C-alpha cells in the first residue's frame, strides 16, 4: 500500500506529519489481519479494513496505522471515514461510530 499528499494530521501513516508529493510505501508486514480489503480516506484520518475484519487507522493523534481496539471482537465488513468519526458496519448488522480521537492513541 502506498500513500502521498497532505499529511498535517499523520493520515498518510508514514511515521511523520510532513506532506509528500511522491508515493511512500506503508509497512504492512506486522499487520496480522490478512489482506487489505478496503481503504477509506477522510480529511484527518485514513482507515484500512483487513480481510479478518480488523480496522487500522492513522491520523489525528498518530502518524502510523494501528488497530482500532474499540472494534475488537467485531467482524467488520465495511468502513467509512468522516471528518470526525470512523463508521464501521459489522457482520451482525450493527453500525459502530468511533470518534476519531478515540480510535487513535487510546488503545
Amino acid at each position: 500500500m502506498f500513500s502521498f499528499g497532505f499529511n498535517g494530521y499523520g493520515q498518510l501513516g508514514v511515521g511523520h506529519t510532513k506532506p509528500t508529493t511522491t508515493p511512500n510505501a506503508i509497512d504492512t508486514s506486522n499487520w496480522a489481519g490478512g489482506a487489505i480489503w478496503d481503504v477509506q480516506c477522510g480529511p484527518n484520518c485514513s482507515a484500512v479494513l483487513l480481510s479478518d475484519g480488523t480496522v487500522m487507522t492513522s491520523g489525528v493523534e498518530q502518524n502510523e496505522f494501528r488497530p482500532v481496539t474499540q472494534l475488537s471482537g467485531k467482524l467488520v465488513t465495511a468502513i467509512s471515514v468522516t471528518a470526525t468519526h470512523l463508521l464501521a458496519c459489522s457482520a451482525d448488522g450493527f453500525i459502530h461510530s468511533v470518534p476519531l480521537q478515540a480510535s487513535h492513541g487510546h488503545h
Side-chain angles (χ1 to χ4, degrees):
M1 184 169 88
F2 294 85
S3 67
F4 64 98
F6 178 75
N7 193 31
Y9 299 96
Q11 64 267 45
L12 297 181
V14 293
H16 58 76
T17 57
K18 299 174 193 158
T20 63
T21 58
T22 57
N24 291 277
I26 306 297
D27 181 12
T28 62
S29 61
N30 63 345
W31 295 6
I36 296 171
W37 272 13
D38 191 13
V39 177
Q40 295 288 317
C41 300
N44 310 325
C45 176
S46 297
V48 177
L49 174 61
L50 303 179
S51 59
D52 72 348
T54 299
V55 178
M56 308 283 286
T57 58
S58 184
V60 182
E61 294 179 354
Q62 67 187 34
N63 54 28
E64 296 178 322
F65 283 93
R66 295 185 186 159
V68 178
T69 58
Q70 294 86 339
L71 298 172
S72 294
K74 299 178 179 19
L75 179 58
V76 176
T77 58
I79 57 173
S80 182
V81 176
T82 73
T84 59
H85 287 77
L86 166 73
L87 302 173
C89 181
S90 56
D92 57 7
F94 286 94
I95 296 175
H96 308 272
S97 177
V98 180
L100 288 179
Q101 274 119 354
S103 71
H104 300 96
H106 303 288
H107 304 288

